[in-house]
Amino acid sequence: MRQVVLIAATFVAPPAMAQEAEPDGPDIVVIAGKPLRVDAKLLRAAQRRFAEDRPSYAPQGTLRFELWRGADRISAAGVGLALTDGAGRQLPVTIDADGRVAFATLPAGRWFLTAPAQSQGMRLRPIVLSSGTSVEDRRLGDLRAQCRVAVSMAKADASLLAMPLIGMFDAIGGCASKRFGFYHMVEHPLASATATGAGVTRTLRLSAKRTSYEAPLSDRTLSNEARVRLAYR
């Protein structure tokens, strides 16, 4: 039986059969009816990890953050996001044309990503995309970098009880381990997902509800330039 890491959900899950795996939420969860308040230390952890890994995995990549409700991605444009400190000062948040959040240099000190209370819960997730790619046609290197960014955020937000599980994850190879499955959420039900490299094509495993796919992060026959392509139903 394999372990399953739900990287789109940014946490390490307990043992489960891969065909039953379904990402159902990250550590960064906003409960319905409560304001969003994400400590900027998580965003800084993501930026540091991405800056370290970008030359190797995603030299043309950018790091953004997405908001999700259930299996639906929502635009951050209408949520009222801001960076707020303990003194009540606010800074605007940059949102790109696709409704994703972009950060340049985060201000020093104790800041939070905030938004007014929502009628429905939300989730915050990182995404790495290179220029000339899309969620339907991605570089495998971008997915590898995204996994490492997500794990860094989980570590920054982990409780003491979660640290042994995260330590085990690191000990067996982390995102490069063959003993874990890495599932990534998509916005529409999938018909298929494939990974294609130099003379190599892999048909990727889909989750039970076809709302996520298992990316071949540990497959050494596929370089970072291999492409993961999706077809929707």
Side-chain angles (χ1 to χ4, degrees):
M1 184 178 292
R2 302 176 66 199
Q3 302 279 341
V4 177
V5 177
L6 306 182
I7 289 303
T10 70
F11 68 90
V12 183
M17 291 298 289
Q19 64 267 27
E20 296 171 354
E22 189 72 55
D24 63 355
D27 287 340
I28 308 169
V29 178
V30 185
I31 305 300
K34 292 188 177 182
L36 173 72
R37 184 179 169 87
V38 176
D39 196 320
K41 71 178 183 180
L42 276 68
L43 307 175
R44 293 191 186 99
Q47 289 184 326
R48 286 194 299 269
R49 181 78 268 173
F50 181 63
E52 291 177 19
D53 292 336
R54 188 177 186 225
S56 299
Y57 293 100
Q60 303 301 318
T62 57
L63 172 64
R64 298 286 187 267
F65 297 88
E66 299 179 334
L67 290 173
W68 287 69
R69 285 195 179 111
D72 299 316
R73 185 173 73 85
I74 61 173
S75 173
V79 176
L81 290 173
L83 284 170
T84 306
D85 71 356
R89 294 177 296 176
Q90 284 196 343
L91 296 173
V93 171
T94 301
I95 299 171
D96 69 15
D98 295 313
R100 297 184 175 104
V101 184
F103 294 105
T105 302
L106 289 160
R110 193 79 189 275
W111 289 79
F112 299 88
L113 179 65
T114 63
Q118 305 292 311
S119 60
Q120 295 176 285
M122 296 187 299
R123 297 179 173 96
L124 181 73
R125 293 174 176 153
I127 182 169
V128 174
L129 282 175
S130 289
S131 57
T133 69
S134 67
V135 293
E136 294 83 17
D137 184 4
R138 298 189 69 180
R139 291 179 64 260
L140 183 55
D142 291 357
L143 286 162
R144 286 169 170 154
Q146 182 175 314
C147 170
R148 295 163 71 90
V149 167
V151 171
S152 74
M153 294 178 72
K155 288 180 178 179
D157 197 41
S159 67
L160 289 176
L161 292 176
M163 291 309 294
L165 188 57
I166 294 176
M168 179 190 71
F169 172 73
D170 286 338
I172 67 168
C175 291
S177 173
K178 294 182 179 180
R179 294 177 59 187
F180 284 79
F182 301 82
Y183 278 77
H184 295 264
M185 289 282 288
V186 293
E187 299 178 44
H188 308 286
L190 290 164
S192 65
T194 59
T196 303
V200 178
T201 298
R202 300 274 187 267
T203 298
L204 306 182
R205 189 192 303 269
L206 308 182
S207 64
K209 296 181 181 179
R210 293 180 173 264
T211 55
S212 60
Y213 63 92
E214 184 181 10
L217 306 189
S218 64
D219 191 335
R220 296 184 180 180
T221 66
L222 293 169
S223 74
N224 289 331
E225 297 302 324
R227 301 302 279 258
V228 174
R229 296 186 172 92
L230 309 180
Y232 298 126
R233 280 183 165 179

